[in-house]
Amino acid sequence: MSSQESLNRRAFIAVGSTSLALAGAVDAKESNSESRDSDLAIHGGPKAVKASVPKLRRWGDKEQRRLTSMIEQDSLFYWKGPQTTQLIENFRKLCPSKYVMSCSSGTAALHIAVAALGIQPGDEVVTSPITDIGTVIGVIYQQGVPVFADLDPATYNLDPDDVARKITPKTKAIIAVHLAGNPCDLARLKELADRFGLVLIEDCAQAWGAHYRGQPVGTVGHIGCFSLQQSKQVTCGDGGIVASNDERFGPKLQRFGDKGLDRLGTGGLFESFATNYRMSEPQAAVAAAQLERVEEIASKRAKLGNRLSEHLRGIQGVEPHRIHPEDRCTFWFYMFRLHLDHFRCDRTEFVKALTAEGVPASAGYIPVPLYGNPVFQQHGFFAGHWPIRDYGITNMDYTKVSCSTAESILKTSVRISIQESMSEAYVESIAEAVRKVARHYRV
Ligand SMILES: *Cc1c(COP(=O)(O)O)cnc(C)c1O
């Protein structure tokens, strides 16, 4: 029985009874039998999630065939390599992009993007405080300043109103992180970028296969960045892709991932300076094959996450992960929020109870927003120093930064792991477990 149904029934009983006392007695009896039916697994009751998730086999024949053809090659270097060429072609099918550069990680892809847009020391880049630190590593290495904007309480993505408040004459770019594969409000972020002459970079590291209003993420902003690290929807162990359709930045992506060398240029003289972020052919072979799996993985994960939302809806005190109905979120994870005033337990106990029910749950995501980490609090990015701050080029003070919604998201959210090998019945049993635990602890 949903809490809504249960409420209706109580209201009905109350109205239909000859006395309120009787209604109270019936209500007490009902909640007694309810609690007997729903003995928590953590107290020795039966688990709500009885099935186990079939083992996920993430690579197989497709990858094997590519690796076999790679072994026959004379060169394993990326430039004009057959595997890299195939990887780029497969990427373009997912994300139509004129300029595509494969690289060694998602962090590398983001660093290349920031380098290609040519930020100057002290230039500011507005982004999310709830993300992988790889989102801002490149900004800091280019002597830029990550500026953290607050988030929407239900999508966990950038709140465009707060982004607008964080824009200053020093702002050069926005990095929109599609957290967990949930597309950001790109129309509003793009509108801000256009109005203030900023570059919109999309961090799609968690968003393989995600669509914003039907359009692949990574193609709405000026530059799209992807990760192929082990934990992402598709992987080659470690890897990344950076792509653009913009003539200002696209032609620079290759050289900023390749020691500043423009391999199409003549003369071999260095006109720009960069590090080596190249991806070799063995990685590209696996990555090319993995990209053929994106559509299937993405549609499966989208369906599972949406099904979970449908079944969590209506549980008092539980706020599902909000996805725009016209978008495709590919659920790198699913995260709902607890309104703790509805419960007689804290989040730790709620998650413990859920885990005992067999749910792959954990508390929150990262322990603190990025700016809460010691290296930010101490402004100690370069051997304990931050030259642009020491020399007065920025006066950013991360000890004074506070994004209250982001902080409250991290304190009240529960993360559920989603795997494409899960069945819909399995995610329904996860929702059943949440309902059971929520009912048990309801105030
Ligand atoms: C994983 C991730 C990165 C960094 O990717 P790596 O390949 O691990 O360097 C950047 N941003 C987000 C949102 C990520 O999830």
Side-chain angles (χ1 to χ4, degrees):
M1 196 191 308
S2 76
S3 50
Q4 196 53 52
E5 284 162 349
S6 150
L7 261 182
N8 289 343
R9 190 165 148 211
R10 284 172 201 198
F12 176 78
I13 290 166
V15 169
S17 308
T18 49
S19 78
L20 279 175
L22 179 59
V26 171
D27 197 40
K29 197 163 142 240
E30 182 198 77
S31 63
N32 269 342
S33 73
E34 233 180 49
S35 71
R36 223 179 309 119
D37 292 343
S38 62
D39 270 350
L40 295 187
I42 201 173
H43 299 145
K47 285 184 175 193
V49 179
K50 294 182 182 75
S52 57
V53 182
K55 194 177 174 310
L56 184 58
R57 195 145 182 265
R58 300 179 67 192
W59 32 83
D61 293 346
K62 286 179 198 294
E63 289 74 12
Q64 185 80 62
R65 279 197 297 275
R66 292 243 133 251
L67 285 167
T68 305
S69 74
M70 182 270 296
I71 288 292
E72 304 292 320
Q73 295 172 200
D74 294 331
S75 164
L76 299 181
F77 189 59
Y78 92 103
W79 185 249
K80 296 197 189 298
Q83 307 305 328
T84 303
T85 304
Q86 188 67 50
L87 170 60
I88 291 170
E89 189 182 317
N90 291 357
F91 179 83
R92 286 197 175 115
K93 282 185 207 142
L94 294 169
C95 263
S97 311
K98 182 165 175 195
Y99 300 97
V100 183
M101 174 65 177
S102 57
C103 55
S104 55
S105 68
T107 304
L110 284 146
H111 191 173
I112 292 168
V114 171
L117 62 94
I119 65 169
Q120 302 290 312
D123 282 349
E124 297 175 352
V125 178
V126 181
T127 193
S128 166
I130 300 188
T131 181
D132 183 275
I133 192 169
T135 303
V136 298
I137 285 175
V139 176
I140 294 167
Y141 269 102
Q142 292 307 112
Q143 312 307 327
V145 181
V147 172
F148 296 103
D150 213 346
L151 306 180
D152 178 282
T155 66
Y156 325 132
N157 283 331
L158 281 176
D159 166 10
D161 290 328
D162 202 49
V163 171
R165 283 190 283 271
K166 298 289 156 69
I167 291 172
T168 75
K170 285 182 159 183
T171 309
K172 289 288 145 45
I174 299 168
I175 303 181
V177 179
H178 304 301
L179 195 74
N182 189 19
C184 290
D185 186 345
L186 287 172
R188 291 199 54 209
L189 294 174
K190 186 80 187 331
E191 189 275 321
L192 281 176
D194 291 344
R195 176 148 40 112
F196 293 95
L198 314 176
V199 180
L200 180 60
I201 297 173
E202 292 180 67
D203 179 345
C204 311
Q206 303 181 359
W208 282 102
H211 292 164
Y212 172 78
R213 311 296 194 266
Q215 196 176 337
V217 298
T219 61
V220 182
H222 300 99
I223 309 179
C225 302
F226 291 79
S227 169
L228 288 158
Q229 187 267 338
Q230 170 69 23
S231 68
K232 315 300 180 181
Q233 287 97 341
V234 285
T235 183
C236 58
D238 260 314
I241 289 181
V242 53
S244 179
N245 283 307
D246 194 299
E247 293 299 333
R248 291 170 296 169
F249 316 116
K252 297 181 177 165
L253 301 178
Q254 178 272 318
R255 80 183 77 138
F256 281 110
D258 192 357
K259 299 197 279 196
L261 190 66
D262 179 0
R263 289 186 187 271
L264 289 172
T266 48
L269 293 174
F270 290 104
E271 285 175 20
S272 47
F273 181 75
T275 185
N276 177 356
Y277 280 145
R278 298 181 302 234
M279 177 200 278
S280 71
E281 284 277 280
Q283 255 91 30
V286 176
Q290 286 272 295
L291 291 206
E292 292 177 18
R293 301 180 188 272
V294 167
E295 184 48 39
E296 197 186 331
I297 292 170
S299 60
K300 190 78 197 290
R301 281 176 175 261
K303 197 192 262 175
L304 292 170
N306 292 335
R307 180 59 58 95
L308 185 51
S309 278
E310 271 167 42
H311 285 260
L312 291 178
R313 219 159 273 145
I315 303 179
Q316 266 177 54
V318 169
E319 192 172 325
H321 203 149
R322 189 191 298 148
I323 317 300
H324 190 283
E326 292 163 61
D327 290 350
R328 177 161 83 172
C329 171
T330 56
F331 295 100
W332 189 55
F333 55 71
Y334 187 100
M335 199 156 83
F336 64 83
R337 287 186 71 186
L338 293 175
H339 293 293
L340 289 166
D341 52 331
H342 285 72
F343 303 110
R344 330 174 247 110
C345 66
D346 62 9
R347 180 179 62 168
T348 307
E349 194 174 344
F350 197 101
V351 170
K352 244 193 215 158
L354 268 185
T355 309
E357 296 295 336
V359 176
S362 46
Y365 171 39
I366 50 177
V368 291
L370 283 187
Y371 56 77
N373 286 281
V375 73
F376 286 85
Q377 291 292 303
Q378 292 154 18
H379 305 107
F381 304 113
F382 297 96
H385 295 275
W386 195 15
I388 56 168
R389 189 165 190 269
D390 296 345
Y391 292 106
I393 297 167
T394 180
N395 47 24
M396 171 57 76
D397 182 348
Y398 289 114
T399 68
K400 299 214 163 71
V401 173
S402 162
C403 297
S404 59
T405 304
E407 288 168 23
S408 118
I409 289 167
L410 291 177
K411 286 186 190 127
T412 60
S413 54
V414 176
R415 185 162 46 104
I416 306 286
S417 140
I418 299 286
Q419 296 297 339
E420 54 270 23
S421 58
M422 290 171 174
S423 65
E424 290 182 44
Y426 182 88
V427 299
E428 283 165 24
S429 71
I430 291 179
E432 235 4 87
V434 175
R435 186 182 302 282
K436 178 182 171 189
V437 170
R439 187 191 285 146
H440 178 87
Y441 287 113
R442 198 156 65 199
V443 284

